[in-house]
């Protein structure tokens, strides 16, 4: 008994968990969006990288800290202070969004489009996508089938291979730079406000959302290491999460710089995936393309395992008529179907959902991390979230694609949003209402404490 109590967590254990967290976070968007951002920002890559790091590094770390501080084991518990209906609705929407509807299919489709399709004749692209996605989600299913194996599969095997391949890409790119990033041309939208543009670009990674969703996967794996000790679970989540996101932040910065340097040889690409393919082919030809295929596949596979395992765990806990393995099957089949709709449709329809969920997730993360300051008062949660929900709904509607974007209803809502919500013109319409809600609710909290009513 005494030996068990005195047994400390080893550095190796922290690194293994950090490796798992890194693998879960780092998916398709984490490779392609920083590269594209670097091209758009040009010589202003520094401020853009700062903004991108806020949403791509700081917020994911805070999401893990939110899990550690509140000792939650999932999205539902983190949203519970707002109310049971909100918690269940938010968990359901988030897990569907970063699971079978958008993030998991996007990982498969990006993996194929960037890594595999360039190696195939164009006439085989359609059937190639079908075959590839079947194989992709079959592998995801096998790895995630027994959730206790996720830590071993991701942390010990797949992620180190990915990091080695990515390191090779960085060494070559910086040894033979395509251009000077500080002399690169800046696009018009990044001439001013590059930090804000970078911040919004970080939405596309979905990492803040993923941090909440992966919480259940991370906590489940960590609890097995520490024999369900809550204090050690919280400590390991915080420390391992810090290690993981620092590594991600370094990689983001390097990718952004490479994107800016690429302007010395390439024109601005339509997306970062195409740019990555061009860069790798420039340096290493068909061998480089094969390397890229493996690199993208590993990055996307590990993230898909994480999001679908989290989806299955949360849904089996709250919709318990179907087991974990049943929900995992549904998630993989749903992802397979969505992936074959094509990357363009996935991106178009994910944007409005992302614009709706992201502000809610950011506010929940901040409130959870700061909850000890206001004693988990539900009033603070409810008022702040209510005033965040209103602009989030406006953002959802005004980012819907055609044919809705051409309707009169859409035009009226867009006009109201721009007229009455500050910062709506730069995509941050939720910020002022959220701050207002936070200030009002905290004042009410302290007034009630002073009056000894709570």
């Amino acid at each position: 008994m005494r030996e068990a109590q005195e047994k400390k967590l080893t550095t190796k254990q922290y690194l293994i968990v950090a490796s798992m967290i890194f693998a879960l976070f780092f998916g398709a968007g984490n490779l392609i969006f920083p590269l594209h951002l670097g091209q758009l920002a040009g010589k202003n890559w520094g401020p853009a990288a700062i903004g991108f790091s806020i949403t791509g590094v700081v917020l994911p770390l805070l999401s893990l800290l939110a899990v550690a501080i509140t000792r939650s084991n999932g999205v539902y518990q983190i949203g519970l202070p707002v109310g049971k209906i909100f918690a269940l609705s938010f968990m359901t929407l988030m897990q569907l969004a970063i699971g079978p509807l958008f993030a998991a299919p996007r990982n498969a489709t990006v993996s194929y489009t960037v890594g595999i399709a360039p190696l195939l004749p164009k006439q085989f692209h359609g059937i190639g996508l079908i075959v590839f996605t079947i194989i992709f989600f079959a592998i995801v299913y096998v790895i995630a089938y027994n959730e206790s194996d996720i830590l071993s599969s991701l942390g010990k095997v797949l992620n180190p291979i990915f990091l080695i391949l990515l390191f090779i890409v960085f060494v070559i790119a910086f040894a033979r730079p395509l251009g000077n990033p500080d002399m690169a041309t800046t696009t018009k939208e990044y001439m001013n406000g590059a930090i804000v543009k970078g911040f919004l670009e970080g939405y596309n990674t979905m990492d803040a959302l993923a941090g909440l969703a992966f919480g259940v996967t991370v906590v489940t794996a960590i609890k097995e290491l520490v024999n369900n000790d809550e204090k050690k679970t919280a400590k390991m989540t915080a420390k391992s999460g810090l290690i993981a996101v620092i590594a991600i932040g370094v990689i983001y910065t390097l990718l952004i710089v490479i994107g800016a340097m690429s302007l010395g040889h390439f024109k601005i690409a339509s997306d970062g995936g195409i740019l990555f393919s061009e860069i790798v082919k420039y340096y290493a030809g068909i061998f480089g393309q094969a390397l890229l295929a493996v690199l993208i596949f590993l990055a996307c596979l590990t993230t898909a395992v994480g999001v679908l395992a989290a989806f299955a765990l949360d849904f089996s806990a709250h919709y318990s008529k179907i087991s974990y393995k049943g929900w995992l099957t549904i998630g993989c089949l749903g992802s397979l179907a969505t992936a074959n709709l094509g990357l363009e449709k996935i991106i178009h329809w994910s944007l409005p959902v992302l614009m709706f969920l992201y502000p809610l997730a950011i506010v929940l993360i901040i409130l959870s991390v700061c909850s000890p300051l206001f004693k988990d008062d539900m009033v603070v949660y409810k008022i702040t979230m209510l005033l965040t929900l209103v602009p989030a709904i406006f953002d959802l509607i005004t980012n819907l694609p055609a044919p809705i974007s051409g309707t009169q209803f859409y035009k009226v809502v867009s006009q109201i949003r721009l007229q009455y919500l500050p910062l709506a013109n730069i995509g941050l319409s939720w910020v002022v209402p959220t701050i207002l809600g936070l200030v009002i609710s905290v004042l009410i909290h302290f007034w009630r404490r002073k009056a000894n009513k709570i």
Side-chain angles (χ1 to χ4, degrees):
M1 173 73 89
R2 184 177 178 182
E3 289 181 359
Q5 289 177 341
E6 293 178 352
K7 187 177 181 180
K8 294 183 179 180
L9 298 172
T10 66
T11 301
K12 182 180 179 180
Q13 286 177 315
Y14 279 117
L15 291 177
I16 290 174
V17 175
S19 180
M20 179 192 70
I21 294 171
F22 178 96
L24 292 172
F25 274 126
F26 208 91
N30 305 76
L31 279 173
I32 65 177
F33 290 119
L35 277 173
H36 194 229
L37 173 63
Q39 277 204 320
L40 296 175
K43 63 184 179 182
N44 285 338
W45 64 266
I50 292 173
F52 191 86
S53 295
I54 294 173
T55 42
V57 178
V58 177
L59 284 176
L61 174 59
L62 290 178
S63 69
L64 291 175
L65 291 177
V67 174
I69 290 172
T70 60
R71 297 181 182 179
S72 302
N73 62 0
V75 180
Y76 177 82
Q77 282 195 354
I78 289 178
L80 199 56
V82 186
K84 291 183 178 179
I85 295 177
F86 172 86
L88 185 61
S89 301
F90 182 72
M91 181 278 296
T92 302
L93 288 173
M94 176 181 286
Q95 292 290 13
L96 285 172
I98 68 171
L101 290 185
F102 301 124
R106 187 180 76 176
N107 274 278
T109 309
V110 168
S111 179
Y112 173 77
T113 302
V114 177
I116 306 299
L119 301 174
L120 300 176
K122 288 187 178 180
Q123 62 266 32
F124 295 115
H125 282 186
I127 187 66
L129 177 62
I130 295 174
V131 173
F132 176 82
T133 50
I134 290 174
I135 296 172
F136 184 92
F137 286 110
I139 296 174
V140 169
Y141 182 83
V142 170
I143 295 175
Y145 185 81
N146 185 350
E147 60 266 36
S148 64
D149 290 335
I150 291 176
L151 177 62
S152 176
S153 299
L154 298 184
K156 293 181 179 179
V157 182
L158 296 178
N159 195 49
I161 296 173
F162 165 75
L163 287 175
I164 291 171
L165 293 175
L166 187 60
F167 177 76
I168 293 172
V169 172
F170 285 153
V171 169
I172 296 173
F174 282 95
R176 297 171 54 195
L178 292 169
N180 185 347
D182 295 325
M183 299 294 291
T185 303
T186 301
T187 57
K188 184 178 179 180
E189 59 181 351
Y190 280 85
M191 290 295 293
N192 298 300
I195 291 180
V196 174
K197 291 293 183 183
F199 178 88
L200 294 175
E201 187 70 15
Y203 276 26
N204 290 313
T205 66
M206 297 190 187
D207 282 349
L209 302 181
L212 294 177
F214 290 157
V216 62
T217 306
V218 173
V219 169
T220 299
I222 291 175
K223 280 184 176 179
E224 292 187 4
L225 289 177
V226 298
N227 297 319
N228 293 314
D229 186 307
E230 288 191 353
K231 289 184 178 180
K232 286 185 177 181
T233 298
K235 181 181 178 181
M236 178 169 261
T237 302
K239 286 191 174 182
S240 299
L242 180 61
I243 295 170
V245 298
I246 288 175
I248 291 173
V250 171
I251 292 175
Y252 280 161
T253 303
L254 295 176
L255 287 170
I256 291 171
V257 174
I258 291 174
M261 289 193 302
S262 72
L263 292 173
H265 193 274
F266 298 109
K267 294 181 180 179
I268 295 178
S270 58
D271 63 66
I274 293 174
L275 174 61
F276 204 0
S277 179
E278 290 177 339
I279 291 174
V280 173
K281 282 191 290 186
Y282 172 83
Y283 284 120
I286 191 67
F287 172 78
Q289 188 63 53
L291 175 64
L292 177 63
V294 176
L295 183 68
I296 293 288
F297 179 80
L298 290 175
C300 294
L301 179 67
T302 53
T303 300
V305 170
V307 295
L308 289 176
F311 163 80
L313 280 168
D314 261 359
F315 268 57
S316 62
H318 299 285
Y319 302 103
S320 55
K321 289 185 178 180
I322 301 178
S323 67
Y324 167 83
K325 293 175 175 63
W327 280 117
L328 180 63
T329 302
I330 293 171
C332 288
L333 291 176
S335 299
L336 174 63
T338 306
N340 281 279
L341 295 176
L343 183 59
E344 185 176 349
K345 286 186 178 179
I346 294 174
I347 292 175
H348 281 173
W349 285 101
S350 66
L351 178 60
V353 177
L354 191 61
M355 293 299 289
F356 172 73
L357 288 176
Y358 227 96
L360 303 182
I362 291 173
V363 173
L364 264 184
I365 291 168
I366 294 173
L367 290 176
S368 297
V369 171
C370 298
S371 59
L373 300 177
F374 53 84
K375 310 298 182 183
D376 297 308
D377 190 352
M378 294 177 65
V379 170
V380 177
Y381 276 92
K382 289 183 176 181
I383 293 177
T384 307
M385 192 57 65
L386 177 62
L387 290 184
T388 304
L389 184 62
V390 174
I393 293 173
F394 275 91
D395 287 344
L396 167 67
I397 296 172
T398 55
N399 281 280
L400 289 169
I404 299 175
S405 59
T407 63
Q408 185 63 32
F409 171 74
Y410 175 90
K411 294 177 181 178
V412 170
V413 172
S414 297
Q415 185 177 359
I416 293 174
R417 174 177 173 270
L418 289 172
Q419 185 174 353
Y420 294 104
L421 293 176
L423 306 180
N425 60 318
I426 60 173
L428 298 175
S429 62
W430 58 273
V431 171
V432 173
T434 296
I435 293 175
L436 181 63
L438 184 60
V439 171
I440 292 173
S441 60
V442 169
L443 288 175
I444 292 174
H445 165 75
F446 284 109
W447 175 79
R448 292 173 70 206
R449 284 186 62 185
K450 188 176 181 179
N452 292 321
K453 293 184 178 180
I454 61 172

